Amino acid sequence: MFKELGKELREFILRGNVLDMAVGIIIGASFGKIVDSLVKDIIMPPVGLILGKVDFSNLYVQIYPFDTHYDSLNAAQTAGAVTINYGAFINTVIGFLIVACAIFALIKAINTLKNKVCKEEKVEEEATTKECPYCCSTIPLNAKKCPNCTSDLN
């Protein structure tokens, strides 16, 4: 059993899938960092300013201790308070939406290009053949006589 798994793993690695997957993961991680910086450093500061100078990364609800209030999330976490960091969650959701939109746009562009290429191939294929009016078989465009039913073509 382990010998078969080792053989399958070796075949998987040698096919190049692992290298492709590694490149995808590295690019994805880098893209994630770019989007995270875009959300935290570029998008959220103006949004926070418009909403009354709110720093989303500093929004939290303190669960414990009940009797102490901290001025910032960092101070609460340093003191060991239990918090729900909903501002960080909002930033993460916005980052996810940006990534989802980027992936959607990329896939849509790839599908559009793929459909365009397929249509061009189809047009080329249709331009080299025609249909015999007598037997309805596909024949070369320049044929004078149908090779299937031997009818004379105009």
Side-chain angles (χ1 to χ4, degrees):
M1 179 178 162
F2 290 114
K3 193 173 188 179
E4 291 176 18
L5 288 175
K7 183 180 177 184
E8 288 179 21
L9 178 63
R10 193 175 325 114
E11 289 174 7
F12 177 73
I13 291 171
L14 293 177
R15 277 193 299 208
N17 292 350
V18 172
L19 183 60
D20 294 342
M21 196 168 39
V23 169
I25 290 170
I26 291 167
I27 290 173
S30 297
F31 184 69
K33 289 179 182 178
I34 291 170
V35 169
D36 189 45
S37 176
L38 175 70
V39 170
K40 288 181 181 176
D41 302 328
I42 296 175
I43 294 175
M44 295 314 283
V47 170
L49 182 65
I50 291 169
L51 296 176
K53 298 183 181 180
V54 176
D55 179 11
F56 279 87
S57 64
N58 205 26
L59 295 178
Y60 70 98
V61 172
Q62 183 176 322
I63 298 174
Y64 181 82
F66 304 110
D67 58 346
T68 308
H69 175 72
Y70 300 98
D71 292 332
S72 68
L73 174 61
N74 191 25
Q77 288 176 334
T78 303
V82 179
T83 59
I84 296 176
N85 308 326
Y86 67 91
F89 178 74
I90 291 171
N91 284 347
T92 303
V93 168
I94 292 172
F96 168 77
L97 292 174
I98 291 170
V99 170
C101 289
I103 290 173
F104 173 76
L106 179 67
I107 290 174
K108 185 151 179 76
I110 289 171
N111 287 340
T112 302
L113 182 64
K114 187 177 177 182
N115 289 339
K116 185 177 179 182
V117 168
C118 288
K119 283 181 183 177
E120 288 175 2
E121 289 175 359
K122 221 178 206 182
V123 167
E124 288 176 12
E125 183 180 301
E126 290 173 3
T128 59
T129 61
K130 65 180 178 180
E131 191 174 282
C132 175
Y134 301 103
C135 68
C136 298
S137 61
T138 303
I139 58 174
L141 187 62
N142 298 331
K144 304 281 186 221
K145 190 171 224 161
C146 179
N148 299 312
C149 69
T150 66
S151 298
D152 288 327
L153 304 170
N154 297 338

